[in-house]
Amino acid sequence: MTERKTTMTTRRKFLTTAAAGAAAAPLAAPALAQSTITWRLQTYAGPALAEHVLDPAIAMFNQIAGDRMQIETFYADQLVPTGELFQAMQRGTIDAVQSDDDSMASPTEVTVFGGYFPFGSRYSLDVPVLFSRYGLKEIWEAEYAKVGIKHISAGAWDPCHFATKDPIRSLADLNGKRVFTFPTAGRFLTQFGVVPVTLPWEDIEVAVQTGELDGIAWSGITEDYTVGWADVTNYFLTNNISGAWIGHFFANNDRWEELPDDLKTLFTVCCDQSHYYRQYWYWGGEADLRVNGTKMELTTIPDEEWDTVEQAAQVFWDEIAAESETKAKVVEIFKKYNADMQAAGRPYRYGKA
C-alpha cells in the first residue's frame, strides 16, 4: 500500500494544484479527434482513496476506448458537493457518478439502503449476491430509470467501523461522540447517543485534529490508513454496523443512451473491474492492518452488549419497511437473504445473526 504523504492537503491547496495541473495538461496530453465522446465523472472519494477505487478503472477505459471516448475524473466535492452529486448528474452537469445512494442524496425509494444499511450485510460477497441473485439489481434499475438515471453497476466495498480519538469499549462510550458518518448510519446510531456530523470529505482529518469530531464511522481500517485518518485517531472498534458498503456507478440516462453498445459494455466491464479490485483490496487490507498495523489500538464491545445493537437494527429495518412498498420489498429481500445465509451455516454465517 502506498504510504500517504505527511503533508496535509487542504481543500484550497488541492483545488489550486488541480487547476494548475488542468491548465498545463493540454501541453502534454495527446490531441483527441473532434468526434471523441467526452464525459465528466465525479466520485465521492478524495484523491488518496480514488487512487485505488476509481483511477485504475477509468485509466483502463480511456486506454481501450482511445479516441472514441475519454472520461475525465473529479474527486470528492471538486465540482459539486457530494450531497449534490445526484442533482448535478440528473441535470447533465456531470455525466457519471461513483457513489452510494445515501451520500449523494438520491431521491429514490432505495436511497436509505445505499452506503451502510445497518447489518444488511456481514461480508463483502453478500452485496453482489444480493444484487445478482436476490433481485436488488432490478429494483435499483427501475427506481433510477424513473428519475432519468442509468444504474450501471453495484459493488461491495469496505465494512463500517468506528475510528476514534478515545477508546470505545462499551455502548456507553458512544454517548455524545460527534462522528462523521453516512446519513442512514447516523440516523440509526443516534439511539446510542452518537451525534452525526456532516462535513466535506476533505475536511474530516482537520476536524478530528481540532476536536470538532470525536471520530469517524465511514469506512474500514484500510481506508483509515490510506486516507490519513489513522494518523489522527487512536482506536479502531472491531465491531461493525455493516459488513460491506453498497456503492454504485451511475450515469445520466440521456448521455448513456447516446453511447454505442460496445462502449456501454466497456464502461460496465471497467466498473465491475473496479468493484472486483475493491473486493480483494479491502478484504485483505482489513485483516492485514488489524494484525500488522501500528497506528491504531483495537478495541471491542463485548458480544452480549453488541447483540443489543444487532437487535435494534431489526427494529430499524421494520421502521424503514413501513415507509413505502418498495422499501418493504427491499427489506424482505435482506431478511430472506440473511435467513438463508444463517441456515446455510459455516462459512456463510455462524453464531447469532
Side-chain angles (χ1 to χ4, degrees):
M1 187 176 295
T2 303
E3 286 294 326
R4 182 180 176 276
K5 294 181 179 179
T6 55
T7 54
M8 187 176 301
T9 301
T10 64
R11 183 176 186 182
R12 178 176 295 177
K13 180 179 177 182
F14 170 69
L15 292 177
T16 301
T17 304
L27 299 176
L32 297 177
Q34 288 186 348
S35 59
T36 300
I37 300 168
T38 58
W39 271 19
R40 299 199 299 178
L41 182 155
Q42 183 170 315
T43 176
Y44 76 99
L49 182 60
E51 181 182 344
H52 290 276
V53 304
L54 178 68
D55 292 348
I58 301 305
M60 180 190 303
F61 178 90
N62 287 341
Q63 180 181 8
I64 297 172
D67 274 355
R68 296 186 63 202
M69 181 172 177
Q70 291 289 293
I71 298 174
E72 185 179 8
T73 54
F74 299 87
Y75 303 133
D77 306 305
Q78 191 175 354
L79 290 179
V80 298
T82 297
E84 297 176 13
L85 278 175
F86 175 86
Q87 295 176 7
M89 176 171 51
Q90 191 180 47
R91 292 193 305 265
T93 304
I94 299 171
D95 303 295
V97 164
Q98 179 197 37
S99 179
D100 64 280
D101 320 72
D102 210 16
S103 296
M104 71 176 188
S106 166
T108 68
E109 290 292 320
V110 295
T111 295
V112 71
F113 304 103
Y116 293 118
F117 186 58
F119 298 98
S121 64
R122 180 171 291 190
Y123 306 121
S124 56
L125 275 175
D126 291 342
V127 174
V129 175
L130 278 161
F131 274 81
S132 65
R133 295 178 67 94
Y134 279 73
L136 292 191
K137 180 176 183 289
E138 291 76 14
I139 294 174
W140 257 251
E141 288 177 347
E143 284 299 305
Y144 278 96
K146 295 175 185 177
V147 290
I149 298 299
K150 170 64 178 177
H151 176 263
I152 298 169
S153 180
W157 302 349
D158 53 335
C160 184
H161 292 260
F162 283 89
T164 54
K165 296 172 72 173
D166 299 322
I168 304 297
R169 296 191 173 96
S170 70
L171 290 180
D173 292 335
L174 291 174
N175 191 43
K177 292 293 188 293
R178 294 159 299 177
V179 175
F180 174 65
T181 190
F182 291 81
T184 298
R187 174 180 168 184
F188 172 69
L189 290 169
T190 54
Q191 64 188 293
F192 304 103
V194 172
V195 180
V197 177
T198 300
L199 291 170
W201 189 93
E202 73 274 13
D203 293 344
I204 302 309
E205 185 174 342
V206 174
V208 175
Q209 289 176 305
T210 61
E212 185 177 356
L213 288 174
D214 299 304
I216 302 158
W218 178 272
S219 68
I221 198 169
T222 305
E223 197 161 315
D224 291 333
Y225 272 73
T226 302
V227 306
W229 294 338
D231 297 326
V232 295
T233 56
N234 303 314
Y235 299 92
F236 179 84
L237 181 65
T238 60
N239 311 76
N240 64 52
I241 64 167
S242 176
W245 188 38
I246 302 177
H248 313 266
F249 284 89
F250 304 94
N252 176 283
N253 195 64
D254 290 341
R255 295 307 305 274
W256 177 258
E257 291 303 326
E258 292 170 1
L259 297 182
D261 287 344
D262 63 330
L263 287 180
K264 291 178 181 177
T265 300
L266 175 60
F267 187 63
T268 301
V269 168
C270 290
C271 292
D272 288 343
Q273 173 63 26
S274 173
H275 293 312
Y276 171 65
Y277 174 88
R278 296 179 75 131
Q279 189 110 48
Y280 67 78
W281 183 59
Y282 280 124
W283 183 256
E286 298 301 301
D288 175 58
L289 289 169
R290 284 192 184 200
V291 175
N292 301 309
T294 59
K295 295 180 179 180
M296 306 170 78
E297 180 182 334
L298 305 184
T299 63
T300 300
I301 295 175
D303 288 345
E304 59 273 16
E305 191 173 3
W306 193 248
D307 284 346
T308 64
V309 183
E310 297 201 23
Q311 292 165 14
Q314 297 303 309
V315 176
F316 184 77
W317 286 17
D318 290 337
E319 291 173 355
I320 297 299
E323 293 177 355
S324 75
E325 183 178 343
T326 298
K327 291 177 182 179
K329 185 176 181 180
V330 175
V331 168
E332 281 306 306
I333 290 174
F334 274 105
K335 288 183 175 181
K336 167 64 175 169
Y337 176 77
N338 278 280
D340 287 351
M341 296 299 103
Q342 190 71 20
R346 296 176 184 270
Y348 300 95
R349 294 289 189 275
Y350 54 91
K352 296 183 179 180

